[in-house]
Amino acid sequence: MSNFVTLTIASEAFLLLSFIIIFLSARNGKKNALLVILFIIGGAPLLYLAIDHATSDYLDANIGLGLAFMFTWIYSVIAFIIGIILLVKKKNDNNISKEQ
């Protein structure tokens, strides 16, 4: 059970890290509300199914939980890549504006 909890916490932490990077590179305050909504969309399925799996005794494999993990991982990787791209773009824009 502890491996399951550790994996769930690590998955959600990576998702949070990805959105923190996007949040740091965001320039607009209106985007922050959208980022919170997107974060909830990315993290809610895994949290719901992880709590459901921990509280219920299923005799068969919980395929929905596996799909929730896969969705969260893919969502996190995409958000991380977007965050890195936005951060590099922001850094390049700042360097260009300082040179002029």
Side-chain angles (χ1 to χ4, degrees), residues 15 17 20 22 33-34 46 48 51 63 70 74 77 86-87:
L15 179 65
L17 174 71
I20 287 173
I22 293 175
L34 178 64
L46 178 60
Y48 173 75
I51 292 170
I63 296 173
M70 193 178 332
I74 292 170
V77 167
L86 290 174
L87 201 61

Side-chain angles (χ1 to χ4, degrees), residues 4-18:
F4 166 71
V5 173
T6 305
L7 189 59
T8 303
I9 292 171
S11 298
E12 292 292 335
F14 185 63
L15 179 65
L16 181 63
L17 174 71
S18 301

Side-chain angles (χ1 to χ4, degrees), residues 1 9 13-14 22-23 28-29 34-35 44 51 66 69 79 87-88 94 98:
M1 184 70 163
I9 292 171
F14 185 63
I22 293 175
F23 178 76
N28 195 336
L34 178 64
L35 289 176
I51 292 170
F69 270 110
L87 201 61
V88 168
N94 287 342
K98 287 180 183 178

